[in-house]
Amino acid sequence: MNERTYKIALSIARGMHPKVADELLTRVGSEQDFFSLPENILIRLTGRRLQILSDAYRAEILEKAKAEEQFCADNHIRCVYYTDQDYPRRLLECDDAPTMLYAIGDTDLNARHIVSIVGTRNATTYGVNFINRLVEDLKKRLDDVVIVSGLAMGCDITAHKRALEEQMPTVGVVAHGLDTLYPSEHRRYAARMVHEGGMILTDYPHGTRPHRGNFLARNRIVAGIADAVIVAESGAPRGGALHTARLGQLYNRDVFALPGRSSDIYSAGCNMLIKNNIAHLIENADDLIHAMNWTARPDEGTQQQLFTELSPQQQQILDWLRRNGEGQINNLAAETNIPVGQLMALLTEMEFNGLVLALPGARYRPA
Protein backbone atom coordinates (compact mmCIF):
# COMPACT_ATOMS: atom_id res chain seq x y z
CA MET A 1 0.00 0.00 0.00
CA ASN A 2 1.48 3.37 -0.96
CA GLU A 3 1.83 6.50 1.13
CA ARG A 4 -0.93 8.32 -0.74
CA THR A 5 -3.49 5.70 0.28
CA TYR A 6 -2.74 6.30 3.97
CA LYS A 7 -3.05 10.06 3.46
CA ILE A 8 -6.41 9.67 1.72
CA ALA A 9 -7.58 7.41 4.54
CA LEU A 10 -6.60 9.92 7.20
CA SER A 11 -8.30 12.73 5.29
CA ILE A 12 -11.67 10.95 5.23
CA ALA A 13 -11.62 10.21 8.96
CA ARG A 14 -14.53 11.92 10.69
CA GLY A 15 -13.73 15.42 11.92
CA MET A 16 -10.31 15.51 10.30
CA HIS A 17 -8.78 18.92 9.49
CA PRO A 18 -5.13 19.97 9.08
CA LYS A 19 -4.78 21.12 12.69
CA VAL A 20 -6.29 17.89 14.00
CA ALA A 21 -4.07 15.89 11.66
CA ASP A 22 -0.97 17.78 12.80
CA GLU A 23 -1.74 17.13 16.46
CA LEU A 24 -2.46 13.47 15.81
CA LEU A 25 0.64 12.85 13.69
CA THR A 26 2.84 14.64 16.22
CA ARG A 27 1.81 12.00 18.76
CA VAL A 28 1.55 8.97 16.48
CA GLY A 29 4.37 9.46 13.98
CA SER A 30 3.03 9.09 10.43
CA GLU A 31 -0.15 8.32 8.50
CA GLN A 32 1.02 4.74 8.03
CA ASP A 33 1.70 4.41 11.76
CA PHE A 34 -1.81 5.63 12.50
CA PHE A 35 -3.28 2.77 10.50
CA SER A 36 -0.71 0.13 11.49
CA LEU A 37 -0.50 0.50 15.27
CA PRO A 38 -2.97 -1.39 17.51
CA GLU A 39 -5.84 0.53 19.06
CA ASN A 40 -4.47 0.27 22.62
CA ILE A 41 -1.13 1.80 21.54
CA LEU A 42 -2.90 4.71 19.82
CA ILE A 43 -5.00 5.35 22.92
CA ARG A 44 -1.84 5.46 25.01
CA LEU A 45 -0.03 7.77 22.58
CA THR A 46 -2.93 10.21 22.20
CA GLY A 47 -4.31 9.98 25.73
CA ARG A 48 -7.83 9.70 24.32
CA ARG A 49 -10.47 7.10 23.52
CA LEU A 50 -11.87 8.18 20.17
CA GLN A 51 -13.91 6.33 17.57
CA ILE A 52 -11.35 7.10 14.88
CA LEU A 53 -8.76 5.13 16.88
CA SER A 54 -10.75 1.92 16.87
CA ASP A 55 -9.38 -0.96 14.82
CA ALA A 56 -12.70 -1.47 13.04
CA TYR A 57 -13.13 2.17 12.04
CA ARG A 58 -9.58 2.51 10.76
CA ALA A 59 -9.91 -0.68 8.74
CA GLU A 60 -13.16 0.63 7.24
CA ILE A 61 -11.78 3.98 6.07
CA LEU A 62 -8.58 2.35 4.84
CA GLU A 63 -10.65 0.18 2.49
CA LYS A 64 -12.45 3.29 1.24
CA ALA A 65 -9.10 4.98 0.71
CA LYS A 66 -7.83 2.05 -1.39
CA ALA A 67 -10.83 2.43 -3.70
CA GLU A 68 -10.35 6.19 -3.88
CA GLU A 69 -6.64 5.90 -4.64
CA GLN A 70 -7.40 3.46 -7.46
CA PHE A 71 -10.11 5.75 -8.85
CA CYS A 72 -7.73 8.72 -8.82
CA ALA A 73 -4.97 6.73 -10.49
CA ASP A 74 -7.33 5.45 -13.21
CA ASN A 75 -8.76 8.92 -13.93
CA HIS A 76 -5.63 11.09 -13.69
CA ILE A 77 -6.95 12.93 -10.64
CA ARG A 78 -4.48 14.88 -8.50
CA CYS A 79 -4.62 14.27 -4.77
CA VAL A 80 -3.40 17.42 -3.02
CA TYR A 81 -2.62 16.72 0.65
CA TYR A 82 -2.41 19.55 3.16
CA THR A 83 1.36 19.14 3.59
CA ASP A 84 2.06 19.19 -0.18
CA GLN A 85 3.79 22.24 -1.65
CA ASP A 86 1.00 22.78 -4.17
CA TYR A 87 -1.76 22.79 -1.55
CA PRO A 88 -3.34 26.30 -1.61
CA ARG A 89 -1.58 28.23 1.15
CA ARG A 90 -4.44 30.71 1.53
CA LEU A 91 -6.87 27.88 2.24
CA LEU A 92 -4.49 26.40 4.80
CA GLU A 93 -5.00 29.57 6.88
CA CYS A 94 -8.64 28.52 7.49
CA ASP A 95 -9.39 26.37 10.54
CA ASP A 96 -11.82 24.16 8.63
CA ALA A 97 -9.66 23.62 5.54
CA PRO A 98 -9.91 20.15 3.96
CA THR A 99 -7.04 17.76 4.64
CA MET A 100 -7.18 16.48 1.05
CA LEU A 101 -8.27 18.08 -2.21
CA TYR A 102 -9.04 16.21 -5.44
CA ALA A 103 -8.39 18.00 -8.71
CA ILE A 104 -8.62 17.54 -12.46
CA GLY A 105 -6.42 20.09 -14.18
CA ASP A 106 -3.13 21.81 -13.51
CA THR A 107 -3.87 25.31 -12.21
CA ASP A 108 -1.50 26.98 -9.76
CA LEU A 109 -3.62 27.22 -6.61
CA ASN A 110 -1.00 29.60 -5.18
CA ALA A 111 -1.12 32.10 -8.05
CA ARG A 112 -0.29 35.72 -7.26
CA HIS A 113 -3.89 36.93 -7.60
CA ILE A 114 -6.88 34.66 -6.92
CA VAL A 115 -10.37 36.18 -7.18
CA SER A 116 -13.59 34.33 -6.33
CA ILE A 117 -16.73 35.58 -8.06
CA VAL A 118 -20.10 34.33 -6.84
CA GLY A 119 -23.74 35.29 -7.14
CA THR A 120 -27.30 34.28 -7.82
CA ARG A 121 -28.29 31.54 -10.23
CA ASN A 122 -30.80 34.05 -11.64
CA ALA A 123 -28.23 36.50 -12.95
CA THR A 124 -29.59 39.61 -14.67
CA THR A 125 -28.05 41.52 -17.55
CA TYR A 126 -26.72 44.00 -15.01
CA GLY A 127 -24.82 41.31 -13.10
CA VAL A 128 -23.62 39.50 -16.22
CA ASN A 129 -22.27 42.71 -17.75
CA PHE A 130 -20.45 43.55 -14.52
CA ILE A 131 -18.80 40.11 -14.32
CA ASN A 132 -17.78 40.22 -17.97
CA ARG A 133 -16.21 43.67 -17.64
CA LEU A 134 -14.51 42.79 -14.36
CA VAL A 135 -12.87 39.60 -15.65
CA GLU A 136 -11.86 41.28 -18.90
CA ASP A 137 -10.28 44.22 -17.08
CA LEU A 138 -8.48 41.98 -14.57
CA LYS A 139 -6.91 40.18 -17.52
CA LYS A 140 -5.77 43.52 -18.96
CA ARG A 141 -4.49 44.99 -15.72
CA LEU A 142 -2.94 42.12 -13.73
CA ASP A 143 -0.50 39.27 -14.25
CA ASP A 144 -1.07 35.77 -12.89
CA VAL A 145 -4.80 35.92 -12.13
CA VAL A 146 -7.01 32.90 -11.41
CA ILE A 147 -10.81 33.20 -11.38
CA VAL A 148 -12.63 30.88 -8.95
CA SER A 149 -16.32 30.09 -8.73
CA GLY A 150 -18.73 27.23 -8.08
CA LEU A 151 -19.69 26.18 -11.64
CA ALA A 152 -23.37 26.88 -10.85
CA MET A 153 -25.92 28.50 -13.14
CA GLY A 154 -26.03 32.28 -13.43
CA CYS A 155 -23.17 34.34 -12.01
CA ASP A 156 -20.81 31.38 -11.47
CA ILE A 157 -20.80 30.08 -15.03
CA THR A 158 -20.66 33.63 -16.37
CA ALA A 159 -17.36 34.13 -14.52
CA HIS A 160 -15.97 30.82 -15.79
CA LYS A 161 -17.05 31.46 -19.40
CA ARG A 162 -15.59 34.95 -19.47
CA ALA A 163 -12.32 33.68 -18.02
CA LEU A 164 -12.18 31.08 -20.79
CA GLU A 165 -12.81 33.78 -23.39
CA GLU A 166 -9.98 35.84 -21.91
CA GLN A 167 -7.70 32.76 -21.79
CA MET A 168 -7.42 32.99 -18.02
CA PRO A 169 -7.19 29.92 -15.75
CA THR A 170 -10.45 29.37 -13.91
CA VAL A 171 -11.23 26.91 -11.10
CA GLY A 172 -14.66 25.38 -10.56
CA VAL A 173 -15.15 24.17 -6.98
CA VAL A 174 -17.81 21.45 -6.96
CA ALA A 175 -19.88 19.91 -4.18
CA HIS A 176 -19.49 16.25 -5.13
CA GLY A 177 -16.98 13.61 -6.18
CA LEU A 178 -15.20 13.79 -9.51
CA ASP A 179 -17.08 10.83 -10.98
CA THR A 180 -19.96 13.16 -11.84
CA LEU A 181 -20.59 16.80 -12.69
CA TYR A 182 -23.38 19.06 -11.49
CA PRO A 183 -25.03 20.73 -13.25
CA SER A 184 -24.53 18.40 -16.21
CA GLU A 185 -25.29 21.28 -18.61
CA HIS A 186 -21.88 22.72 -17.77
CA ARG A 187 -19.92 19.61 -18.70
CA ARG A 188 -18.52 21.15 -21.89
CA TYR A 189 -17.36 24.25 -20.03
CA ALA A 190 -15.76 22.08 -17.34
CA ALA A 191 -13.90 20.14 -20.04
CA ARG A 192 -12.63 23.38 -21.57
CA MET A 193 -11.55 24.65 -18.16
CA VAL A 194 -9.45 21.54 -17.57
CA HIS A 195 -7.89 21.55 -21.05
CA GLU A 196 -7.21 25.30 -21.09
CA GLY A 197 -5.24 25.71 -17.88
CA GLY A 198 -8.09 25.61 -15.38
CA MET A 199 -9.29 23.03 -12.90
CA ILE A 200 -12.26 21.25 -11.35
CA LEU A 201 -11.65 20.99 -7.60
CA THR A 202 -13.38 19.26 -4.70
CA ASP A 203 -12.71 17.83 -1.26
CA TYR A 204 -15.26 15.02 -1.76
CA PRO A 205 -14.20 11.48 -2.74
CA HIS A 206 -15.82 9.81 -5.73
CA GLY A 207 -19.30 8.47 -5.16
CA THR A 208 -20.34 11.58 -3.19
CA ARG A 209 -23.51 13.01 -4.70
CA PRO A 210 -24.45 16.71 -4.52
CA HIS A 211 -26.89 17.82 -1.85
CA ARG A 212 -27.55 21.11 -0.05
CA GLY A 213 -25.14 20.52 2.82
CA ASN A 214 -22.31 19.80 0.40
CA PHE A 215 -22.85 23.09 -1.42
CA LEU A 216 -22.67 25.06 1.82
CA ALA A 217 -19.50 23.21 2.85
CA ARG A 218 -18.04 23.75 -0.64
CA ASN A 219 -18.35 27.51 -0.14
CA ARG A 220 -15.55 27.47 2.44
CA ILE A 221 -13.13 26.48 -0.32
CA VAL A 222 -14.43 29.16 -2.70
CA ALA A 223 -13.93 31.77 0.03
CA GLY A 224 -10.75 30.45 1.62
CA ILE A 225 -8.74 29.82 -1.54
CA ALA A 226 -8.97 33.44 -2.73
CA ASP A 227 -7.54 36.84 -1.91
CA ALA A 228 -10.92 38.48 -2.51
CA VAL A 229 -14.54 37.34 -2.73
CA ILE A 230 -16.84 39.29 -5.04
CA VAL A 231 -20.63 38.98 -4.90
CA ALA A 232 -22.05 40.12 -8.23
CA GLU A 233 -25.74 39.70 -7.42
CA SER A 234 -27.74 38.07 -4.65
CA GLY A 235 -31.39 38.24 -3.76
CA ALA A 236 -31.88 35.68 -1.00
CA PRO A 237 -30.62 36.67 2.47
CA ARG A 238 -29.71 33.02 3.10
CA GLY A 239 -28.40 32.26 -0.38
CA GLY A 240 -25.13 30.54 -1.19
CA ALA A 241 -23.42 33.73 -2.37
CA LEU A 242 -24.07 35.50 0.93
CA HIS A 243 -22.92 32.41 2.82
CA THR A 244 -19.66 32.54 0.86
CA ALA A 245 -19.33 36.26 1.60
CA ARG A 246 -19.75 35.70 5.33
CA LEU A 247 -17.17 32.92 5.23
CA GLY A 248 -14.84 35.30 3.43
CA GLN A 249 -15.28 37.81 6.23
CA LEU A 250 -14.66 35.06 8.82
CA TYR A 251 -11.43 34.12 7.03
CA ASN A 252 -10.30 37.77 6.89
CA ARG A 253 -10.68 37.90 3.12
CA ASP A 254 -11.60 41.15 1.41
CA VAL A 255 -15.26 40.89 0.40
CA PHE A 256 -16.80 43.06 -2.32
CA ALA A 257 -20.37 43.49 -3.57
CA LEU A 258 -21.88 45.18 -6.60
CA PRO A 259 -24.50 47.71 -5.45
CA GLY A 260 -27.89 48.00 -7.10
CA ARG A 261 -31.11 49.97 -6.72
CA SER A 262 -33.25 49.26 -3.69
CA SER A 263 -35.98 48.02 -6.00
CA ASP A 264 -33.76 45.44 -7.73
CA ILE A 265 -34.55 42.00 -6.29
CA TYR A 266 -31.17 40.50 -7.09
CA SER A 267 -29.25 43.43 -5.62
CA ALA A 268 -30.89 43.15 -2.20
CA GLY A 269 -28.25 40.81 -0.81
CA CYS A 270 -25.36 42.89 -2.15
CA ASN A 271 -26.82 46.09 -0.75
CA MET A 272 -27.24 44.39 2.63
CA LEU A 273 -23.59 43.26 2.64
CA ILE A 274 -22.45 46.80 1.91
CA LYS A 275 -24.83 48.37 4.43
CA ASN A 276 -23.67 45.99 7.17
CA ASN A 277 -19.98 46.65 6.42
CA ILE A 278 -19.40 43.03 5.39
CA ALA A 279 -18.44 44.00 1.85
CA HIS A 280 -16.72 46.89 0.11
CA LEU A 281 -18.67 48.53 -2.68
CA ILE A 282 -17.29 47.55 -6.10
CA GLU A 283 -18.18 48.92 -9.51
CA ASN A 284 -15.14 47.95 -11.59
CA ALA A 285 -11.72 46.33 -11.57
CA ASP A 286 -10.05 49.54 -10.37
CA ASP A 287 -12.04 49.37 -7.12
CA LEU A 288 -10.70 45.87 -6.48
CA ILE A 289 -7.12 46.64 -7.50
CA HIS A 290 -6.93 49.76 -5.33
CA ALA A 291 -8.54 48.11 -2.30
CA MET A 292 -6.18 45.13 -2.54
CA ASN A 293 -3.17 47.40 -3.15
CA TRP A 294 -2.20 45.30 -6.15
CA THR A 295 0.34 46.57 -8.67
CA ALA A 296 -1.42 46.83 -12.02
CA ARG A 297 -0.68 47.88 -15.56
CA PRO A 298 -2.18 51.22 -16.68
CA ASP A 299 -5.81 50.94 -17.77
CA GLU A 300 -5.43 51.81 -21.43
CA GLY A 301 -9.09 51.13 -22.11
CA THR A 302 -10.19 53.65 -19.50
CA GLN A 303 -7.82 56.26 -20.92
CA GLN A 304 -9.37 55.78 -24.34
CA GLN A 305 -12.83 56.07 -22.96
CA LEU A 306 -12.00 59.33 -21.18
CA PHE A 307 -11.18 60.90 -24.53
CA THR A 308 -14.00 59.33 -26.55
CA GLU A 309 -15.64 62.10 -28.55
CA LEU A 310 -19.41 62.04 -28.22
CA SER A 311 -21.73 63.49 -30.81
CA PRO A 312 -24.18 66.09 -29.47
CA GLN A 313 -26.96 63.49 -29.63
CA GLN A 314 -24.90 60.89 -27.73
CA GLN A 315 -24.06 63.47 -25.08
CA GLN A 316 -27.77 64.31 -24.85
CA ILE A 317 -28.61 60.62 -24.37
CA LEU A 318 -25.91 60.13 -21.74
CA ASP A 319 -26.94 63.27 -19.83
CA TRP A 320 -30.57 62.12 -19.78
CA LEU A 321 -29.65 58.62 -18.56
CA ARG A 322 -27.42 60.03 -15.82
CA ARG A 323 -30.22 62.28 -14.60
CA ASN A 324 -32.81 59.49 -14.63
CA GLY A 325 -30.75 56.44 -13.77
CA GLU A 326 -32.09 54.40 -16.69
CA GLY A 327 -34.66 54.63 -19.43
CA GLN A 328 -36.76 52.56 -21.82
CA ILE A 329 -36.00 53.26 -25.45
CA ASN A 330 -39.45 54.65 -26.31
CA ASN A 331 -39.35 57.06 -23.36
CA LEU A 332 -35.81 58.03 -24.30
CA ALA A 333 -36.86 58.72 -27.89
CA ALA A 334 -39.76 60.89 -26.73
CA GLU A 335 -37.61 62.86 -24.26
CA THR A 336 -34.69 63.46 -26.63
CA ASN A 337 -36.70 63.82 -29.87
CA ILE A 338 -34.39 61.31 -31.56
CA PRO A 339 -36.17 58.80 -33.87
CA VAL A 340 -36.15 55.25 -32.48
CA GLY A 341 -34.15 53.80 -35.38
CA GLN A 342 -31.43 56.43 -35.07
CA LEU A 343 -31.51 56.13 -31.29
CA MET A 344 -30.90 52.36 -31.50
CA ALA A 345 -27.80 52.93 -33.65
CA LEU A 346 -26.46 55.56 -31.26
CA LEU A 347 -27.07 53.35 -28.22
CA THR A 348 -25.38 50.36 -29.88
CA GLU A 349 -22.26 52.43 -30.52
CA MET A 350 -22.34 53.79 -26.96
CA GLU A 351 -22.69 50.27 -25.55
CA PHE A 352 -19.71 49.13 -27.63
CA ASN A 353 -17.67 52.03 -26.20
CA GLY A 354 -18.63 51.08 -22.66
CA LEU A 355 -20.75 54.16 -22.02
CA VAL A 356 -24.14 52.48 -21.47
CA LEU A 357 -25.44 49.08 -20.41
CA ALA A 358 -28.30 47.33 -22.21
CA LEU A 359 -30.95 45.87 -19.87
CA PRO A 360 -33.94 43.57 -20.53
CA GLY A 361 -37.03 45.24 -21.98
CA ALA A 362 -35.11 47.62 -24.28
CA ARG A 363 -33.92 49.61 -21.26
CA TYR A 364 -30.54 51.31 -20.86
CA ARG A 365 -28.53 52.73 -18.00
CA PRO A 366 -25.16 54.50 -17.76
CA ALA A 367 -22.19 52.14 -17.50
Side-chain angles (χ1 to χ4, degrees):
M1 201 178 309
N2 63 40
E3 183 182 5
R4 187 166 77 167
T5 304
Y6 290 114
K7 290 179 176 179
I8 293 172
L10 185 67
S11 75
I12 61 179
R14 188 175 295 112
M16 192 58 59
H17 295 299
K19 287 186 177 180
V20 176
D22 274 342
E23 181 183 348
L24 183 65
L25 294 174
T26 298
R27 294 171 180 270
V28 171
S30 69
E31 291 85 0
Q32 183 173 350
D33 290 336
F34 177 73
F35 287 96
S36 304
L37 292 171
E39 179 178 343
N40 63 323
I41 300 296
L42 291 177
I43 291 172
R44 192 176 71 218
L45 289 172
T46 62
R48 299 178 184 177
R49 289 185 176 273
L50 303 171
Q51 183 193 11
I52 64 170
L53 303 181
S54 75
D55 292 334
Y57 182 77
R58 286 180 295 135
E60 177 187 342
I61 61 175
L62 195 56
E63 285 303 311
K64 291 180 180 178
K66 291 177 186 177
E68 186 64 25
E69 202 280 332
Q70 189 62 55
F71 174 81
C72 292
D74 291 344
N75 293 278
H76 309 290
I77 291 170
R78 290 170 56 192
C79 297
V80 187
Y81 193 55
Y82 81 101
T83 58
D84 293 344
Q85 273 195 328
D86 54 348
Y87 188 95
R89 61 177 182 273
R90 298 167 179 88
L91 187 58
L92 204 54
E93 297 168 358
C94 308
D95 288 339
D96 55 356
T99 310
M100 181 72 78
L101 293 167
Y102 303 99
I104 303 178
D106 199 29
T107 307
D108 179 7
L109 298 177
N110 291 302
R112 195 183 316 167
H113 310 102
I114 298 186
V115 178
S116 289
I117 302 174
V118 297
T120 177
R121 287 170 168 78
N122 301 298
T124 71
T125 305
Y126 177 57
V128 168
N129 286 341
F130 164 74
I131 293 170
N132 286 336
R133 288 199 319 275
L134 177 68
V135 174
E136 179 184 354
D137 289 345
L138 289 176
K139 169 68 174 182
K140 292 176 182 176
R141 305 289 308 283
L142 294 171
D143 296 317
D144 197 17
V145 185
V146 174
I147 301 298
V148 176
S149 197
L151 208 69
M153 299 285 189
C155 291
D156 287 21
I157 196 61
T158 298
H160 293 308
K161 287 164 66 176
R162 190 61 184 188
L164 287 170
E165 290 166 9
E166 296 294 332
Q167 298 182 322
M168 298 169 70
T170 180
V171 175
V173 185
V174 296
H176 50 72
L178 294 178
D179 55 331
T180 188
L181 188 81
Y182 179 87
S184 58
E185 295 93 323
H186 294 165
R187 188 173 297 277
R188 64 190 176 104
Y189 296 115
R192 281 190 62 193
M193 289 161 65
V194 170
H195 289 113
E196 297 177 25
M199 178 182 285
I200 305 301
L201 184 69
T202 187
D203 64 323
Y204 291 105
H206 82 283
T208 306
R209 295 292 172 256
H211 62 74
R212 178 173 172 77
N214 289 2
F215 286 101
L216 292 175
R218 176 273 306 273
N219 293 341
R220 80 194 194 285
I221 300 177
V222 176
I225 204 171
D227 298 296
V229 177
I230 299 172
V231 184
E233 287 188 298
S234 179
R238 299 182 185 275
L242 294 195
H243 181 251
T244 306
R246 292 188 180 99
L247 285 171
Q249 182 190 38
L250 180 67
Y251 299 152
N252 293 316
R253 300 296 182 260
D254 286 274
V255 180
F256 299 82
L258 175 68
R261 297 174 306 179
S262 59
S263 58
D264 290 342
I265 295 173
Y266 294 110
S267 291
C270 290
N271 291 341
M272 183 194 73
L273 290 173
I274 296 167
K275 182 169 62 176
N276 292 338
N277 295 317
I278 296 172
H280 307 285
L281 185 152
I282 185 172
E283 295 178 311
N284 51 51
D286 272 341
D287 292 338
L288 175 64
I289 290 167
H290 293 156
M292 300 300 296
N293 198 29
W294 285 339
T295 301
R297 295 185 291 274
D299 186 357
E300 296 175 5
T302 300
Q303 293 300 317
Q304 291 171 0
Q305 181 178 318
L306 288 174
F307 297 100
T308 298
E309 277 196 36
L310 299 180
S311 70
Q313 288 177 316
Q314 288 176 324
Q315 189 64 59
Q316 182 185 7
I317 294 166
L318 194 57
D319 289 344
W320 190 91
L321 288 173
R322 284 171 174 167
R323 285 196 306 271
N324 293 276
E326 71 171 50
Q328 203 274 343
I329 194 164
N330 290 328
N331 293 335
L332 193 52
E335 292 288 336
T336 59
N337 292 318
I338 301 173
V340 171
Q342 185 180 355
L343 183 60
M344 283 291 295
L346 291 166
L347 285 166
T348 299
E349 183 181 352
M350 293 172 72
E351 184 183 4
F352 179 79
N353 288 327
L355 298 170
V356 299
L357 295 177
L359 305 175
R363 294 180 297 123
Y364 291 84
R365 70 189 302 172

